[in-house]
Amino acid sequence: MKSLINLSIAILLLCAGLYFVADQLEASGGKGSKDTITIYNWGDYIDPDLLKQFTEETGIKVIYETFDSNEAMLTKIQQGGTTYDIAIPSEYTIEMMIEEDLLHPIDHSKIPNLQYIDPYYLDLPFDPKNKYSIPYFWGTVGIVFNPNLIPDHITFESWNDLWDPSLKRKVFLVDGAREVMGMGLNSIGESLNAKDEKLLRQVTDKLVTLSPNIKGIIGDEIIPLMINNEAAVALTWSGSAADMMSENEELDYAVPQEGSNLWFDNFVIPKTAKNIDGAHAFINFMLDPEVAAQNAEYVGYSTPNKAALDIMDPEIVNDERFYPPEEIKDRLEVYENLGLEWLGKYNEYFLEFKMSIR
Amino acid sequence: MRDRVAKGPLIPYLLWIAFFVIAPIALIVYYSMLDLNGNFTLENYKRFFSPVYIQMTLTSFFYAVIITFFTLLISYPMAFILTKTKHKYLWLMFIIIPSWINLLLKTYAFIGIFGLYGPINAVVSVFGIESQQILFTDFSFIFVSVYIFIPFMIIPIFNSLDKLNPTLVDAARDLGASPFTTFRRVIWPLTIEGVKSGIQVTFIPALSLFMITRLIAGNQVITLGTAIEQQFLVAQNWGMGSTIAVFLVLIMLVSMLFTGRKAKGGRV
C-alpha cells in the first residue's frame, strides 16, 4: 500500500514539475539587466563579428536568440515573461504587434544614425512616422532560375511564364500561403492583399493548372536543392536567392513585371524589454554606415542604409536584381496584416492547391 | 475488504490515465469547439466535412494502409528468417539500431541519396539510363516511410515467432501438412497477435506523419498531420487544428478496435 501511495504522489509531483518547467520555458529568454541586451532575431541574419564589436565599444554584453517564423516569435512575446530588448519581425507582424500594444515607442533622439536611412523606407503605412520600428533589411519575392536548364523564351518577365508547358516538374515553390497566393494574385494583375473570396477562388483555380509543373513545395531545403540544380526554377525570397547564387553561379533572379511583394524586417523594442537604453544604443550602432555595410555584405539581403551603399562593393549595389530602381519598386506591394480570419482563408485555398498536386 | 484490495493498486494507474490521457483529449475536444475569437462554435466540424478535408482524410488513410502493407510484407519474412539464425538477438539489434538515429537526420540523408545527382542516379547512369526523378514522388515517400517503420514492425512479430513452440510445426509436418498449409493453419494464427501489434505501431503513426511529407514528398502528399501543423503554426487557428486532431483520434480508435485482441481460441 505504501508503494502505491508513493507512486501516486510521484505522478502528482511529475504533473507539478511539468507545469513548473512549462512556466519556466515560457519565461526564459533574457536575463534583463543594465549591462546586457537580449536580441531575438531570425537565424543567420547578422554578422556575428558585429555583436563582438558592439560589446567592445559599449561594454554591453549581447545575448542572442533566434526564431524561424514571425508567428513563432509573436507567440513567444505574446505569452509574456520574456525580456527581449530587441526583436526583428516583418512588417505585417509589426502591424499586429502595434495593434496588440506589445511594442515600446522608439526615441528617435537616441538614434542619430537614423539620418543615414533612405527616406523611401521610412514612414511606411504599417508604422507611420516609425514610432515603433526602425528598418533593418528589405527584399522582394521573385523567381530564381537556371537559364541553362530552361528554354530561351522563358525570361520570367511575367509570372505566367511559370505556367509554360516546358517547365513540367521543374518548379519549386516556397511553402508559404501568402507567397504562393500572392504570386497567383499578381499573375492576374490583382493586389496580393486582396480580400475577395471570388478572386481567391479564381486564383486557386488558376494555380491548380500550375500543378503539373510543380516538383515540390518546400521550406529552407530549397536553398541546397537549387544549389545542386535539383530543379530549374524556384519561387523564393531575394535573400535566399542571393545565398543560392553565391554558391551556384549559373543561377539568376528575376522579379516579374506584374509586381510582387516588397517586404521589410525592422528593429522593434518589445514592451517587456528591460534595457531600453541598451536597445537604442544597439539600433544606433547597427545603423552606422560602416557596420551596416559589413552586415549587408555578410547577410546578402538589401540594406535601407543610403550611406552604407556608398561604401559597399559597387558590384552588389548596382545589381538591379537586389537593388531595383524606384520605378520597379513602385510596382511592388507590401503585405498588409490580413487578420486571422483572412489569413485562415488564404491558408485554406493554399491547402486546396497543394491537394491538387499529383 | 476484497474491494479495497482490488481497487487500491488502480489508483496510480487511474491518476496517470486522468492526467496524461483523458485530460489532453478533453482539451483537444474543448479547443475544437472554439472559433478564432474563442467563442463556442461547431463551424470547425462543418468545415471538416468539406471536400478538401474529406479528400485529405481519404488520402492519409490510403497512404497509411499502403505503408503498413509494405512494412508488413518486408518485416514478417525478415523476422521469420531472424528467428532461424544462430545469433538472432545480435541480428535483431542490428536492425533496431538505425531507429536510434534521429528521424530528421535519416530523412535528410535520403534527400541526398535520392537526388538527381545522388548515388542512386549515379549507378543508374552507368547503365546508360537517364537520371530519374526519385525525390518528391509517391515512391520515395512510401520507401522512406517503410524504412522508418520496419524496426517497429519487426520487434512484435519477432517476439511472437520466437515464442512459437517449434514442436507444433514439427507435428503439423508429421501429420502431412504442406509447408504452406503449416504456415496458414499453424504459424500465422499463432503469431497473429504480434502482427496486430505491429500494424498498430505502424498504421497509427503513418496517419500523422508530417515532416517527411514536405522533405521527401515536397507536399505532394498531404496528411492529416501536415494539416494540423499548418493550422497551429501558420494559420494560428487552434480550433480547426484541434478538430482535425479529434478525427485523427477517432480513426485511431477505430483501427485499434479492428486490430485489438479478441478472445483466445476460435477457429484453427
Side-chain angles (χ1 to χ4, degrees):
Chain A
M1 202 61 198
K2 207 178 157 204
S3 65
L4 281 175
I5 292 169
N6 285 345
L7 203 55
S8 306
I9 292 172
I11 291 173
L12 291 174
L13 278 179
L14 182 66
C15 290
L18 284 173
Y19 183 79
F20 178 74
V21 169
D23 214 42
Q24 285 291 304
L25 276 180
E26 276 172 12
S28 79
K31 299 277 185 310
S33 82
K34 277 286 149 217
D35 51 358
T36 59
I37 59 167
T38 311
I39 297 170
Y40 200 29
N41 193 3
W42 298 82
D44 203 21
Y45 202 33
I46 200 165
D47 182 348
D49 290 341
L50 292 172
L51 297 178
K52 273 183 227 148
Q53 196 185 327
F54 175 72
T55 307
E56 277 165 25
E57 282 182 18
T58 59
I60 301 174
K61 278 199 208 101
V62 177
I63 301 169
Y64 191 77
E65 291 187 25
T66 61
F67 55 85
D68 59 6
S69 79
N70 278 303
E71 287 73 21
M73 182 231 40
L74 181 63
T75 313
K76 204 159 176 193
I77 289 181
Q78 267 172 340
Q79 301 275 346
T82 55
T83 55
Y84 297 118
D85 298 300
I86 292 211
I88 306 185
S90 311
E91 72 292 316
Y92 66 99
T93 310
I94 294 173
E95 206 177 330
M96 235 188 270
M97 293 174 95
I98 295 173
E99 262 171 38
E100 295 188 22
D101 196 24
L102 293 171
L103 300 181
H104 192 281
I106 288 175
D107 183 352
H108 289 197
S109 70
K110 287 184 188 161
I111 307 181
N113 285 342
L114 192 57
Q115 56 171 316
Y116 298 119
I117 298 288
D118 187 338
Y120 187 91
Y121 305 102
L122 295 175
D123 197 18
L124 290 161
F126 63 89
D127 179 20
K129 303 243 181 295
N130 285 77
K131 204 172 157 203
Y132 296 98
S133 73
I134 302 289
Y136 181 56
F137 278 116
W138 62 275
T140 53
V141 169
I143 294 174
V144 186
F145 59 102
N146 187 335
N148 302 337
L149 298 178
I150 57 176
D152 285 339
H153 70 272
I154 297 177
T155 54
F156 294 110
E157 293 212 343
S158 164
W159 288 114
N160 291 309
D161 282 358
L162 283 174
W163 273 261
D164 195 284
S166 64
L167 295 182
K168 199 163 164 38
R169 290 263 176 272
K170 284 187 175 170
V171 180
F172 279 138
L173 299 180
V174 72
D175 189 8
R178 293 220 58 180
E179 281 71 26
V180 175
M181 293 301 289
M183 177 271 282
L185 282 161
N186 282 149
S187 78
I188 58 169
E190 294 292 338
S191 159
L192 44 72
N193 293 311
K195 288 188 184 179
D196 180 340
E197 291 261 13
K198 243 183 164 166
L199 271 180
L200 292 179
R201 179 77 260 155
Q202 189 191 338
V203 164
T204 311
D205 291 341
K206 182 173 177 184
L207 284 174
V208 167
T209 63
L210 178 64
S211 54
N213 284 359
I214 304 295
K215 176 157 167 168
I217 299 180
I218 52 182
D220 285 338
E221 311 83 60
I222 214 166
I223 298 176
L225 289 169
M226 283 304 286
I227 290 171
N228 289 334
N229 286 329
E230 289 281 341
V233 180
L235 171 81
T236 188
W237 296 282
S238 56
S240 317
D243 277 356
M244 297 169 196
M245 288 158 70
S246 68
E247 299 278 330
N248 182 345
E249 306 220 320
E250 290 177 10
L251 297 178
D252 200 355
Y253 179 72
V255 178
Q257 301 281 333
E258 292 102 335
S260 177
N261 167 235
L262 177 68
W263 54 260
F264 304 93
D265 286 342
N266 285 18
F267 296 106
V268 298
I269 305 181
K271 265 256 157 80
T272 48
K274 284 278 151 46
N275 190 352
I276 307 279
D277 286 335
H280 281 91
F282 182 78
I283 296 174
N284 194 46
F285 170 80
M286 291 305 294
L287 295 192
D288 178 83
E290 300 235 344
V291 172
Q294 186 185 334
N295 200 29
E297 286 186 7
Y298 176 88
V299 175
Y301 281 88
S302 316
T303 178
N305 196 312
K306 218 168 34 180
L309 292 178
D310 293 337
I311 45 179
M312 280 168 67
D313 186 348
E315 210 175 298
I316 299 178
V317 178
N318 295 329
D319 191 336
E320 290 200 352
R321 295 172 301 189
F322 296 104
Y323 289 94
E326 224 152 280
E327 66 265 23
I328 294 182
K329 269 197 288 196
D330 287 343
R331 284 200 304 267
L332 305 177
E333 263 183 293
V334 180
Y335 287 139
E336 285 162 19
N337 172 21
L338 295 172
L340 283 182
E341 195 192 324
W342 280 95
L343 182 65
K345 285 186 181 151
Y346 269 63
N347 273 289
E348 287 290 306
Y349 283 114
F350 183 47
L351 185 65
E352 196 183 322
F353 161 57
K354 286 203 265 190
M355 298 286 301
S356 75
I357 302 171
R358 286 277 84 229
Chain B
M1 194 63 200
R2 261 183 91 175
D3 271 351
R4 272 175 65 190
V5 173
K7 277 178 189 161
L10 274 177
I11 291 172
Y13 178 73
L14 288 177
L15 276 175
W16 183 271
I17 296 281
F19 280 115
F20 296 107
V21 180
I22 295 177
I25 292 179
L27 272 177
I28 289 175
V29 174
Y30 170 71
Y31 273 112
S32 73
M33 294 183 202
L34 298 181
D35 67 7
L36 279 170
N37 305 314
N39 301 321
F40 177 82
T41 176
L42 288 176
E43 191 60 30
N44 293 329
Y45 286 87
K46 212 174 107 192
R47 235 168 85 196
F48 188 85
F49 287 102
S50 65
V52 174
Y53 283 99
I54 292 294
Q55 192 198 339
M56 182 163 52
T57 312
L58 292 178
T59 30
S60 281
F61 197 82
F62 175 69
Y63 279 105
V65 168
I66 292 185
I67 290 167
T68 312
F69 174 74
F70 281 107
T71 311
L72 180 62
L73 199 67
I74 295 170
S75 301
Y76 198 98
M78 208 142 123
F80 190 80
I81 294 164
L82 277 183
T83 54
K84 303 287 171 230
T85 54
K86 208 170 168 195
H87 304 285
K88 53 188 175 187
Y89 290 106
L90 184 73
W91 290 114
L92 183 66
M93 202 173 76
F94 281 141
I95 288 167
I96 291 169
I97 282 174
S99 68
W100 298 352
I101 298 168
N102 184 292
L103 180 67
L104 271 183
L105 281 180
K106 284 188 280 191
T107 312
Y108 271 100
F110 274 110
I111 294 182
I113 293 169
F114 283 158
L116 278 181
Y117 305 96
I120 292 188
N121 270 318
V123 170
V124 165
S125 64
V126 168
F127 300 101
I129 304 167
E130 208 183 322
S131 275
Q132 296 293 311
Q133 179 61 47
I134 309 174
L135 206 57
F136 307 120
T137 58
D138 282 353
F139 167 78
S140 62
F141 175 65
I142 291 168
F143 185 93
V144 173
S145 309
V146 168
Y147 166 78
I148 285 165
F149 287 124
I150 280 177
F152 301 102
M153 180 76 98
I154 281 194
I155 295 168
I157 297 179
F158 176 88
N159 284 337
S160 58
L161 277 170
D162 204 34
K163 274 187 290 186
L164 180 70
N165 188 346
T167 53
L168 293 174
V169 179
D170 294 340
R173 297 304 304 279
D174 287 347
L175 293 169
S178 69
F180 178 73
T181 313
T182 314
F183 175 76
R184 194 172 66 86
R185 305 294 291 266
V186 179
I187 303 177
W188 180 257
L190 285 173
T191 54
I192 191 77
E193 292 307 327
V195 172
K196 281 179 178 175
S197 322
I199 289 176
Q200 276 181 13
V201 294
T202 307
F203 182 75
I204 292 170
L207 265 181
S208 53
L209 276 175
F210 70 98
M211 270 321 273
I212 303 172
T213 54
R214 190 176 94 185
L215 292 170
I216 297 292
N219 273 325
Q220 298 187 20
V221 178
I222 307 267
T223 59
L224 292 172
T226 325
I228 294 175
E229 186 214 5
Q230 292 286 315
Q231 290 293 348
F232 273 88
L233 294 182
V234 184
Q236 292 167 62
N237 188 345
W238 289 31
M240 192 62 211
S242 304
T243 307
I244 305 170
V246 166
F247 282 95
L248 201 52
V249 171
L250 286 178
I251 298 174
M252 287 174 187
L253 282 178
V254 171
S255 70
M256 298 276 273
L257 279 182
F258 275 105
T259 52
R261 279 159 201 273
K262 297 207 179 74
K264 283 266 167 180
R267 250 168 21 93
V268 173

